Amino acid sequence: MGLKSPLVMFSFFFLVVAITIMPLAEGQLLGGILGPLFGLLRIQGIVYCTPNGNIGVNGTATPAFPNALVQLRCGGTVISTATTNGSGVFSILLDPLNFILSTLLSGCRLAVNTPLASCNAALPSVGGLVSNLQFIGNTFAGLLNVGNLIPSGFLFNASVNN
């Protein structure tokens, strides 16, 4: 009965190619081919209670912005949301079958609509923080390929919708 079945031939060919190429690609072949099926996009960061939402100068003690609503907006539409924890940390997970990395980087941004005054009464009570996204690389966990994105730097914007 040999290797005459097309399915067996294809499987054998795929196995030979995978074994040959995998060492060259440092284990990323399956992540690249199957990444959309076994992958995630993770947007993660920290929002600080400062006029620009970033850490203080020279690493000075900077309070976090707890319970802030962080929105991922693409073309003005809210795609996903997360709420910061007590340390100001947020994380948004996306399915790469629904989002293209280049589109996230060029057409989407993070918006924090929670007024800054809610974490510090001396800060503005209108407006919010906005940031573009920055890709920082992939993390592999077995076959799971996680694309990691972070805020490129929050800026205050008085016209962010509350």
Side-chain angles (χ1 to χ4, degrees):
M1 178 143 142
L3 296 175
K4 295 181 183 179
S5 164
L7 180 59
V8 172
M9 292 293 289
F10 176 77
S11 299
F12 178 75
F13 176 74
F14 182 79
L15 181 63
V16 169
V17 169
I19 290 171
T20 304
I21 295 175
M22 192 166 304
L24 298 175
E26 297 179 15
Q28 296 181 11
L29 174 69
L30 291 177
I33 293 173
L34 301 176
L37 298 176
F38 297 110
L40 290 171
L41 293 170
R42 176 177 53 200
I43 303 169
Q44 188 170 323
I46 301 173
V47 181
Y48 293 97
C49 187
T50 60
N52 64 6
N54 299 310
I55 196 163
V57 179
N58 298 325
T60 58
T62 307
F65 195 161
N67 302 314
L69 179 65
V70 179
Q71 299 177 330
L72 174 64
R73 294 183 180 179
C74 300
T77 302
V78 176
I79 302 300
S80 187
T81 63
T83 301
T84 60
N85 66 14
S87 299
V89 175
F90 71 91
S91 184
I92 296 173
L93 296 176
L94 301 171
D95 181 351
L97 291 175
N98 296 324
F99 298 94
I100 299 173
L101 180 61
S102 60
T103 301
L104 285 172
L105 295 173
S106 64
C108 300
R109 67 183 188 165
L110 296 171
V112 179
N113 286 351
T114 308
L116 292 170
S118 67
C119 67
N120 181 342
L123 295 175
S125 60
V126 296
L129 303 169
V130 294
S131 176
N132 291 323
L133 296 168
Q134 177 182 350
F135 178 70
I136 58 169
N138 291 331
T139 303
F140 293 93
L143 290 179
L144 185 64
N145 178 5
V146 180
N148 297 295
L149 296 99
I150 60 171
S152 60
F154 285 102
L155 299 172
F156 178 75
N157 185 329
S159 64
V160 172
N161 298 333
N162 289 318

